[in-house]
Amino acid sequence: EARQSGLAAAAEAVKAWDSPGFRESLLREVPRLLVDPEYRGRSETVLGDIRDKFRRKTGVEDGAPGDATAPPTFLPDTEGWRSLETSMGALEAMMQGCGAAFTPRIDSAMIDLLAECSKHTNRFVREYAFFAFKNAFEVCEHEVFLAAVAPRTVDVIAAGIADNWSQVRYAGSTAARAFMEKAGEEKSRFFPQLLGLMCLNRHYVAEGV
């Protein structure tokens, strides 16, 4: 709790008093905090090693018995997948903080990783993946979005708004809205993949979708 509170206070301090020296001292602590054993500490920092956590989901070789960082061998679909979804939440916060300056980071590696997470067996991971896509669309520069991001993600978003879990479908719907808003006058290019599913979701029973 002390680490989480300290990080939250530091984030507010940066907003109100942006000192380069203070920011540099915070950045020096980031690598250590990205692997903090307490998830609340990780969630208050920036991007953790999502790819490593995703590939350890089967839990066959990492972590000793009783190790808090060891990957799970089984978790029901009603529980989160340890730190994987919180790491993606941290990625969302980083994109929101960087704004359009994050655009160069929205590359093939990041898109492919989030697309892989959007197919994860755990619905919490899928949900966070689509919220991360939403933030990526919102901060991405318009020209880059149309040229490189939209063609690679439109089918992923279509799958999200047809997910069988309502929470995932809601997250996919927010991503679809951000996708279409960023596409602007070019949105008709993506109607074949998204429009029908978006119209059907207007009649979906879950609130918010």
Side-chain angles (χ1 to χ4, degrees), residues 22-137:
F22 183 60
R23 276 189 283 115
E24 289 177 7
S25 65
L26 286 176
L27 289 174
R28 284 195 295 269
E29 296 296 317
V30 165
R32 175 178 63 83
L33 294 166
L34 288 175
V35 292
D36 194 288
E38 171 58 51
Y39 82 94
R40 290 172 297 182
R42 289 190 304 271
S43 68
E44 291 290 349
T45 59
V46 290
L47 177 63
D49 192 355
I50 297 176
R51 185 179 301 278
D52 175 66
K53 294 181 177 68
F54 184 87
R55 289 181 174 173
R56 290 192 295 125
K57 67 183 180 181
T58 53
V60 293
E61 59 184 33
D62 292 322
D67 182 0
T69 62
T73 56
F74 170 77
L75 285 174
D77 211 24
T78 54
E79 296 181 18
W81 201 271
R82 292 282 176 85
S83 60
L84 182 53
E85 70 271 18
T86 57
S87 293
M88 281 190 289
L91 173 59
E92 293 179 49
M94 190 168 73
M95 288 190 285
Q96 292 167 0
C98 293
F102 193 84
T103 298
R105 302 292 184 183
I106 307 175
D107 54 12
S108 297
M110 176 181 160
I111 292 172
D112 290 344
L113 177 58
L114 289 180
E116 194 174 5
C117 289
S118 75
K119 302 172 185 176
H120 195 279
T121 184
N122 186 269
R123 63 101 169 169
F124 288 96
V125 176
R126 300 199 304 274
E127 179 182 3
Y128 270 84
F130 287 111
F131 281 134
F133 270 123
K134 167 185 174 290
N135 282 275
F137 299 153

Side-chain angles (χ1 to χ4, degrees), residues 163-171 204 206 209:
D163 195 275
N164 61 320
W165 273 91
S166 59
Q167 295 92 334
V168 180
R169 188 176 293 214
Y170 171 76
Y204 193 69
V209 175

Side-chain angles (χ1 to χ4, degrees), residues 132-191:
F133 270 123
K134 167 185 174 290
N135 282 275
F137 299 153
E138 289 176 344
V139 304
C140 188
E141 294 177 355
H142 185 254
E143 294 77 11
V144 176
F145 174 81
L146 289 176
V149 177
R152 295 178 62 93
T153 57
V154 61
D155 290 331
V156 178
I157 301 306
I161 58 179
D163 195 275
N164 61 320
W165 273 91
S166 59
Q167 295 92 334
V168 180
R169 188 176 293 214
Y170 171 76
S173 297
T174 64
R177 175 183 294 175
F179 184 103
M180 285 300 189
E181 288 178 347
K182 182 62 66 171
E185 295 180 356
E186 297 293 321
K187 65 179 66 175
S188 60
R189 290 170 45 188
F190 309 103
F191 280 171

